[in-house]
Amino acid sequence: MKFLLDAQLPKKISEFLNWKGYDSIHTLDLPDKNRTKDTKINDISIEQSRIVISKDLDFVESLLVSDKPYKLIYIAVGNVSNKELLEIFGKNIEKIVKCIENARLIEITKSKIIVKN
C-alpha cells in the first residue's frame, strides 16, 4: 500500500508508515516540496496508486467531483499537536489500512474512523 501525505501533516507520519512497511512519501519529498499543487498531488496519486492523506477539504471535493485522487484519507481532528496526530495513527493503523482497502474515502476524527464510500 502506498501513501502520499499532504503538506499540513507532519513528515513523521510518513516516516511512521514507512517504518510499518508501507511505501509513503510526503510532499517534502517531491521537487516542489510543500509548494506542490493539489493537482500535481492528484496526478501522482493516480499515476502511482498512492492514497492521499490530507486535512484539506479540497481533496474531498476533488474526489467527489473529478474522481481524483486515487483514494483519500481525510483527517478531521481539528487542531491537535503533531504528537497527538501520530498517536491517532499509531493506535489505529491496522483499522485505517483495512478500511481504505475497501473504500475510496475514509475520514479520521479524534474518536472514530468513518468509511465514506
Side-chain angles (χ1 to χ4, degrees):
M1 191 167 290
K2 299 188 282 186
F3 298 96
L4 195 168
L5 277 80
D6 197 14
Q8 340 70 337
L9 297 171
K11 187 167 180 167
K12 285 188 177 191
I13 293 175
S14 182
E15 293 166 353
F16 168 76
L17 291 168
N18 285 322
W19 179 77
K20 293 294 280 182
Y22 301 103
D23 179 346
S24 180
I25 58 175
H26 190 277
T27 51
L28 288 170
D29 300 316
L30 301 174
D32 290 331
K33 303 205 179 291
N34 284 345
R35 291 182 308 274
T36 304
K37 304 272 187 218
D38 290 356
T39 53
K40 181 65 176 171
I41 291 170
N42 279 337
D43 290 344
I44 293 168
S45 172
I46 296 292
E47 291 164 9
Q48 299 180 16
S49 299
R50 287 192 179 273
I51 300 161
V52 172
I53 304 175
S54 180
K55 287 182 163 184
D56 188 347
L57 191 58
D58 289 347
F59 282 106
V60 175
E61 294 168 0
S62 175
L63 182 65
L64 297 174
V65 171
S66 65
D67 214 28
K68 293 180 182 180
Y70 163 68
K71 290 186 176 189
L72 176 64
I73 297 173
Y74 175 61
I75 309 297
V77 295
N79 290 330
V80 297
S81 69
N82 288 346
K83 180 182 175 189
E84 289 174 284
L85 193 53
L86 193 53
E87 287 173 1
I88 290 169
F89 268 84
K91 291 177 185 174
N92 297 293
I93 188 61
E94 288 82 12
K95 187 174 181 182
I96 291 167
V97 167
K98 187 163 185 67
C99 288
I100 200 64
E101 281 177 346
N102 301 311
R104 294 277 322 277
L105 171 62
I106 65 171
E107 179 178 338
I108 298 175
T109 70
K110 287 182 183 179
S111 60
K112 58 188 167 186
I113 299 169
I114 305 160
V115 177
K116 294 287 192 171
N117 68 350

